[in-house]
Amino acid sequence: MSDPAQSMQAALFERFGERLDIDAKLPGLDELARIAAHRVQRRYQPRGVAPDLLRLLCACALSAPSKSDLQQADILIVREKSTIGTIADLLTEMPWVRQAPVFLVFLANGRRLPVISQLRGKPFPNDHLDLFFNATVDAAIVLATFLRSAEAAGLGCCPISVIRDHASVISKLLELPSKVIPVAGMCVGWPEEEGGISPRLSLETTVHEERYAEGDLGQQIDSYDRRRAASRPYRNQREPERFGVASFYGWSEDKARQYATPLRADFGDFVRAKGFYLD
Ligand SMILES: Cc1cc2nc3c(=O)[nH]c(=O)nc-3n(C[C@H](O)[C@H](O)[C@H](O)COP(=O)(O)O)c2cc1C
């Protein structure tokens, strides 16, 4: 299907289980169709990503909006095989990290702003949670914009938040100073396969009109579980020895099992140790 309106409609139907009306004359349809067809890529061809292309994509990503124009997001490019190998050794459950020709780390930079205040001889009475939050939001927006830019150029990406399971080690490895923390990594490469669309919760659940309306969440989750299982059933169940083997194993069962164990409970300690105040 080459018509962008039709292919977008098909992608969004797969994603949300809803057939949206799409005006075939809408400007920007090619771009919208590409966004709608997003898929994470975890298998890459061995060929590298040219430095000029990567720099261009970083420039596009950093053209994203920035809270108060404060520009508190940075991108750290890791190309050295040995450094990618060291990171991959920490994340053995994610072999795609080692395979990626380039690994990026999106940084929340809460450091520049207080340094600027010092350079300009001004007080900085804003060393509180908002500094961490603003920098993290900026980094997340830059990450999403990089992904969108890279996909437009035909590259495939996989964000990697699991680096935060090893935040101190990563921070030392990449020589991150105080008030600079990794928000997520990202594998970047030329995709080896097309990959599939991952269904999302219905728009009924996640788009609210005028005021927040939860509706019958249990019923909505059940129907999402069924829709998703029809196209993307889970191959394995988490911790069957702890939770048993479910006769129907859907997304919500998987997420509930995943979050039945403390995850990254020490992250706050890491962030504080990096000099952020979270109050
Ligand atoms: C902030 C962020 C962190 C992520 N961290 C990981 C990760 O550590 N490992 C991984 O394999 N995928 C990671 N992903 C990819 C998600 O698993 C993926 O986006 C999700 O399953 C939905 O699939 P889709 O992007 O193809 O729609 C991450 C995605 C985001 C946005």
Side-chain angles (χ1 to χ4, degrees), residues 25-162:
K25 294 194 206 69
L26 193 68
L29 266 185
D30 284 333
E31 190 178 354
L32 294 179
R34 196 164 41 240
I35 293 170
H38 154 76
R39 49 205 75 181
V40 76
Q41 296 289 351
R42 296 191 175 95
R43 297 193 60 218
Y44 314 100
Q45 299 169 23
R47 73 178 160 127
V49 180
D52 285 353
L53 174 58
L54 202 60
R55 199 161 176 80
L56 175 72
L57 297 174
C58 288
C60 290
L62 289 159
S63 301
S66 164
K67 195 271 172 209
S68 289
D69 202 11
L70 291 175
Q71 308 180 43
Q72 290 175 295
D74 294 6
I75 305 172
L76 195 155
I77 301 172
V78 182
R79 284 182 170 281
E80 284 278 340
K81 273 282 156 219
S82 60
T83 313
I84 295 181
T86 304
I87 297 170
D89 286 345
L90 298 167
L91 317 178
T92 48
E93 72 280 22
M94 297 186 178
W96 39 94
V97 173
R98 196 180 307 279
Q99 216 206 346
V102 182
F103 191 78
L104 304 181
V105 183
F106 291 85
L107 302 172
N109 190 327
R111 177 181 182 79
R112 243 181 331 254
L113 189 56
V115 169
I116 288 167
S117 295
Q118 208 176 27
L119 286 172
R120 296 292 165 256
K122 302 293 182 300
F124 187 74
N126 284 296
D127 206 353
H128 48 69
L129 178 65
D130 211 40
L131 182 71
F132 164 78
F133 192 79
N134 289 334
T136 302
V137 169
D138 262 20
I141 295 171
V142 168
L143 179 152
T145 310
F146 183 93
L147 186 140
R148 190 173 143 195
S149 309
E151 288 184 350
L155 285 159
C157 302
C158 181
I160 302 288
S161 59
V162 176

